[in-house]
Amino acid sequence: MCGFVVVLNRAAGCDPCEAIEHRGPDSCGHLDLSGANWHASLHFRRLAIVDVGPRSDQPFGTADRGVLVYNGELYNAPELREILRSRGVRFTTDGDTEILHELLLQPDAFALLDHVDGMFAFTQVLPNGHVRYGRDRLGIKPLYIASDTSSRIVALSSEIAPLRSIGLLDEVDPVAVAQGAMFLWTPPPRTGWRGVQAAPAGTVHSLRSPAYGQPRPLWIAGLPEPAADIASAVRESVERQVRADVPVGLLLSGGLDSTWLGVELSRIGFSGPVLTARDCAPHRGSAEPFEHDAPYAERAARHLGMTLHWVDLDVDVLQQIPELVQAMELPFGDPAAIALMRLACAAKREATVLLSGLGVEELFLGYERYQAVRLLQRIPESGRRRLGRASLRPVSPRFRERADKFRRMCALSPRDWTWAGQAYFTAAEWRDLAPKVELDDVTAAHHAVGDPLLAAGASPLRAVAECDRKLFLPGLNLLYGDRASMRASVELRVPFLGEPVVATALATRPEDQLRLGNGKARFRSAARAAGVPDFVARRSKTGFGAPVRSLLREHGARLWPHVRRSGLFDELFDRSVADRFVSEHVQGERERGLAVFGLFCAAVWWEQNAGGDGQVAAALRDYRPVASS
């Protein structure tokens, strides 16, 4: 797990990898390559996981055959090594960097890539100056592309900070900032800056020297053969991903996904550390739609015969907003990232690799919005509208947010379900809040994925599931999984996103993955059969329990005057409309906690990246909660 920067046809002017030392504290490397009319400068930071000695350091290769910089892990490296050896390749290392480099130099490289099980982002410079770059199927590992005004690519980087350090960040992208407030994450390929995009997942592209202009596609990930069943796919994926030359740990929440990882790890004699977050602050009020993980994790650990390492989460998430915004880089506002940052920092003392259950909800349809879509797609439009009106009756504060989203979806067409289940504002509210940013622009990425499927006759549920896999998963969960772990110099592995599991999930109709009242029903049944205890299998999806809603209800009134000073409300959002939304939440008129949290994060992002004096961030860092009377 590493980080790299490749700069094309221009001088970096500094070491761009200083900004991402956290991605690779074990070693660094630099190499300049050039020809008659082209130049490439490669910079690399290494977090050594496999073949930890210097022979696997990067940049890897030679000027006469090509040079690779690469971030990730190939989990089926032994099998790939044997394929290449059978073709006469002689290896000088035991690492997967050399395997990927040699694979990419094969005449049928892109057919071989279809057999790779791993997470990766790479850039390879060939002897003639041509450049290849690519990412794994789901975009687990990040890769960003900076282009100049003539659309020529000038740099590729694992994070955005190095692009800033070499002066490649241009104008802020207001649509991306607006998306960060609407969804709490930024749908790819937008990043927050007009001249920087996320490289497309599941592809390899080629750039021809010397211009490095329009990328040419070389590979689009094909669908591998699914395993016989989910259980065998999970078992194979876990066995592959637990391999490392450094200590490996498990993140255990006591939920279905992480407990199944624990079951499979116990089966193979795993003895690494097991970490669990424990919220030391009392939950404030009844509006929080979650329950504590700790009792479930403790019971699951006893069942598995594992010893827990507790990580206490007693931080105020409002105070952590400036750190969250800086670490995530893109416009972002999901407080779950704060918990993972704390877990990764604690894990660093015990393990360099962490296994996480991330990704199951998107592959096997575990979120409540999937059940809503499955229900609504069976009902004609008139019936949906009646159902929406019927759901106006009062509900418990704990379920208000869910009820609001369901009513919103009832009033919209299936074309808009792809984004409505993730949005924190209605279309009418958005017109008032952001008159300068059209809703069609904010939702364009969702429509680009969903509309062609619907036009071809796919069900709305499939369109929603595809949007989540191609946008929500890389734009939210995989983004914060990478940033939060790598900030602590820890590699996060996600066995449920290994190729055997992905292939098995995608081979099944979305409608067959769940039942009403039972998200990811097929996955849950397989987990029970594999040995996950019933008290875990019956547990409903809960998510990270940061008391954002309660904290904002208690402290939002005194923090908001500082936050609303941000230039965001001069340039993009209507300050008086934002005032109303904050007041509604603080006064308890509506449940708007995450929407308000998103506005707080957007204001800090704007201050950090579009100009400001730092007063908003300072007010959040410095405030001290006052106990309510």
Side-chain angles (χ1 to χ4, degrees):
M1 191 64 64
C2 312
F4 63 80
V5 185
V6 177
V7 184
L8 303 173
N9 284 346
R10 61 173 289 167
C14 62
D15 176 6
C17 276
E18 285 185 0
I20 53 172
E21 184 177 357
H22 52 274
R23 295 192 74 90
D26 295 331
S27 67
C28 64
H30 308 276
L31 183 65
D32 286 304
L33 300 171
S34 58
N37 54 3
W38 63 271
H39 180 267
S41 178
L42 295 87
H43 309 266
F44 184 78
R45 299 287 322 192
R46 185 181 184 200
L47 177 63
I49 302 294
V50 175
D51 194 29
V52 297
R55 62 183 182 174
S56 283
D57 284 351
Q58 300 179 42
F60 188 91
T62 59
D64 62 326
R65 294 189 71 229
V67 177
L68 177 77
V69 284
Y70 148 63
N71 166 33
E73 298 289 346
L74 305 187
Y75 301 125
N76 62 337
E79 296 89 334
L80 296 171
R81 185 185 297 272
E82 290 309 308
I83 291 173
L84 294 171
R85 274 184 174 151
S86 71
R87 299 177 174 208
V89 175
R90 303 179 66 179
F91 289 95
T92 61
T93 75
D94 293 326
D96 58 347
T97 298
E98 186 175 19
I99 292 173
L100 181 60
H101 183 54
E102 292 292 343
L103 183 151
L104 290 169
L105 295 177
Q106 296 297 302
D108 58 344
F110 305 109
L112 290 174
L113 267 181
D114 278 330
H115 298 285
V116 170
D117 176 16
M119 53 181 182
F120 59 81
F122 70 84
T123 300
Q124 185 182 48
V125 182
L126 299 175
N128 58 3
H130 294 355
V131 171
R132 295 170 172 173
Y133 65 89
R135 295 175 73 192
D136 60 76
R137 173 194 302 281
L138 296 174
I140 301 172
K141 289 293 99 190
L143 181 59
Y144 298 100
I145 300 168
S147 302
D148 62 16
T149 55
S150 61
S151 298
R152 292 177 302 182
I153 292 176
V154 294
L156 302 104
S157 178
S158 297
E159 290 189 10
I160 293 171
L163 303 177
R164 182 192 300 276
S165 72
I166 54 181
L168 292 179
L169 294 190
D170 57 4
E171 297 179 9
V172 164
D173 177 3
V175 173
V177 181
Q179 290 173 323
M182 173 65 103
F183 303 121
L184 306 187
W185 56 280
T186 307
R190 294 184 185 271
T191 63
W193 293 268
R194 294 185 189 274
V196 181
Q197 289 194 326
T203 65
V204 173
H205 284 80
S206 172
L207 298 168
R208 298 180 66 86
S209 62
Y212 299 122
Q214 185 65 32
R216 181 169 64 93
L218 297 176
W219 174 76
I220 298 175
L223 186 63
E225 285 295 319
D229 54 68
I230 298 174
S232 59
V234 169
R235 188 161 300 135
E236 180 181 5
S237 191
V238 171
E239 289 175 354
R240 286 178 174 181
Q241 295 200 28
V242 77
R243 301 170 186 163
D245 295 335
V246 295
V248 177
L250 169 66
L251 295 178
L252 181 67
S253 69
L256 178 66
D257 312 335
S258 63
T259 302
W260 193 353
L261 292 182
V263 168
E264 297 303 332
L265 290 170
S266 295
R267 203 187 310 275
I268 59 178
F270 174 79
S271 60
V274 180
L275 293 97
T276 295
R278 180 171 55 187
D279 187 358
C280 293
H283 287 170
R284 303 161 175 85
S286 59
E288 305 296 349
F290 56 80
E291 56 187 348
H292 286 291
D293 280 340
Y296 287 91
E298 190 170 28
R299 190 175 174 187
R302 283 199 307 270
H303 177 85
L304 297 169
M306 294 177 167
T307 301
L308 285 180
H309 296 243
W310 293 106
V311 179
D312 291 333
L313 301 180
D314 56 355
V315 295
D316 186 317
V317 293
L318 303 183
Q319 292 175 324
Q320 305 306 310
I321 286 175
E323 180 187 1
L324 169 70
V325 171
Q326 183 179 32
M328 297 302 112
E329 296 194 298
L330 284 70
F332 187 92
D334 191 327
I338 295 172
L340 186 54
M341 285 194 286
R342 298 291 172 262
L343 281 164
C345 285
K348 183 60 178 175
R349 298 188 291 269
E350 309 283 344
T352 310
V353 173
L354 288 175
L355 301 182
S356 164
L358 185 151
V360 172
E361 311 303 326
E362 293 85 357
L363 282 186
F364 292 96
L365 308 196
Y367 295 122
E368 286 185 347
R369 61 177 173 267
Y370 301 132
Q371 296 185 57
V373 171
R374 191 175 189 272
L375 170 65
L376 293 176
Q377 71 183 16
R378 297 176 172 180
I379 303 173
E381 181 181 357
S382 59
R384 295 196 298 266
R385 293 188 180 278
R386 286 195 299 273
L387 183 60
R389 290 192 294 271
S391 66
L392 286 171
R393 64 183 183 276
V395 297
S396 162
R398 184 174 182 179
F399 300 105
R400 284 178 185 170
E401 198 169 71
R402 301 175 189 176
D404 282 348
K405 285 189 175 182
F406 183 73
R407 283 194 293 269
R408 185 184 314 152
M409 293 177 71
C410 287
L412 294 170
S413 71
R415 178 176 182 260
D416 291 316
W417 295 345
T418 54
W419 62 267
Q422 303 166 357
Y424 289 90
F425 299 98
T426 68
E429 290 170 343
W430 188 257
R431 286 193 293 271
D432 292 340
L433 176 65
K436 298 180 181 179
V437 184
E438 295 290 338
L439 180 64
D440 284 348
D441 293 331
V442 172
T443 60
H446 291 80
H447 287 309
V449 174
D451 286 1
L453 292 170
L454 294 172
S459 70
L461 181 60
R462 186 185 168 201
V464 170
E466 281 291 293
C467 275
D468 279 9
R469 183 169 62 86
K470 292 183 177 179
L471 300 176
F472 181 83
L473 182 59
L476 178 70
N477 288 331
L478 292 177
L479 174 84
Y480 86 69
D482 174 83
R483 293 297 198 283
S485 60
M486 291 306 294
R487 191 172 174 84
S489 303
V490 169
E491 173 176 289
L492 190 75
R493 293 183 179 178
V494 283
F496 291 119
L497 298 185
E499 287 289 284
V501 184
V502 173
T504 303
L506 297 184
T508 303
R509 276 194 338 140
E511 284 77 4
D512 294 333
Q513 296 284 18
L514 75 163
R515 295 193 300 272
L516 293 179
N518 187 1
K520 60 185 181 189
R522 182 167 169 264
F523 182 88
R524 194 180 304 273
S525 175
R528 275 195 171 102
V532 173
D534 277 350
F535 72 87
V536 171
R538 289 194 305 267
R539 187 184 179 194
S540 60
K541 172 70 179 173
T542 182
F544 167 55
V548 169
R549 300 158 185 83
S550 301
L551 284 168
L552 283 168
R553 191 152 283 144
E554 291 182 17
H555 309 299
R558 65 186 172 107
L559 287 173
W560 179 243
H562 301 285
V563 175
R564 72 189 301 276
R565 294 177 189 169
S566 168
L568 175 74
F569 300 102
D570 297 315
E571 301 294 333
L572 204 61
F573 293 155
D574 186 296
R575 191 174 269 110
S576 63
V577 175
D579 289 342
R580 172 164 58 86
F581 294 151
V582 174
S583 176
E584 286 177 349
H585 182 76
V586 170
Q587 299 301 321
E589 297 171 13
R590 287 188 62 188
E591 178 48 63
R592 307 208 68 120
L594 288 178
V596 173
F597 188 80
L599 290 175
F600 274 49
C601 293
V604 173
W605 191 95
W606 191 272
E607 183 179 68
Q608 290 182 358
N609 296 287
D613 55 12
Q615 290 187 22
V616 177
L620 291 170
R621 287 194 193 98
D622 297 341
Y623 102 97
R624 293 294 177 265
V626 176
S628 57
S629 56

